[in-house]
Amino acid sequence: MSGDSADPRVYVPADKEEVLTFLAEEGPFETRAAVLAFAASLGYKEGRREAVDKGPKDIRWGVFQEEGKSFVADLIAAAGSEDLSIMRDERGVDRRRIFAEYANGGLALLRDRVMNKPRDAVDVLLEIILAAENPRDTTTGAEGLEKLAAKVERERRAGVD
């Protein structure tokens, strides 16, 4: 994170740049900011928060605001902090730091799931989302996708009747 400057930034650690770029280019995300918002949500859900130093690449905070993603940082900071003063305007640096730390942790999880096991990124992300939605359902891979397809088909049929 940068200091509280007129142009704050979220830094991407060098060891996470590859997964961030891959998901932005090959995954369902349209932008790098969208990848970071998802990664921060995953990092928070999994309790994975890793410190972030300045990296070689960054994303201007204004991009998150323009894309409507800055609220994710606020939600994660509020949930991840026991101090409600985190939501004060002057605590923006702290909120962005917490967001970046959870994003860094989430990127580590995504790197392990996407980059180290060559599979379609969308399939991996669907598994993560389904596991979050149904934490007791431990089915993964094709079985999990088949269950999702069956559920969608049942709901479609119910809507037709």
Side-chain angles (χ1 to χ4, degrees), residues 55-129:
K57 298 212 176 174
D58 61 53
I59 301 173
R60 284 183 317 99
W61 185 248
V63 171
F64 292 92
Q65 293 170 319
E66 292 160 10
E67 292 184 14
K69 308 269 186 289
S70 60
F71 78 95
V72 173
D74 291 340
L75 292 174
I76 289 172
S81 175
E82 295 180 14
D83 180 7
L84 292 179
S85 72
I86 193 78
M87 297 310 295
R88 292 186 185 151
D89 287 344
E90 64 269 13
R91 300 280 310 271
V93 169
D94 297 326
R95 287 193 306 277
R96 289 188 298 273
R97 179 184 44 79
I98 292 168
F99 170 77
E101 289 172 353
Y102 279 116
N104 191 24
L107 284 172
L109 293 168
L110 289 168
R111 179 185 57 205
D112 292 345
R113 301 272 308 264
V114 174
M115 304 304 289
N116 295 341
K117 299 173 189 167
R119 294 181 43 220
D120 183 67
V122 174
D123 287 344
V124 173
L125 295 171
L126 278 173
E127 287 173 11
I128 291 169
I129 292 166

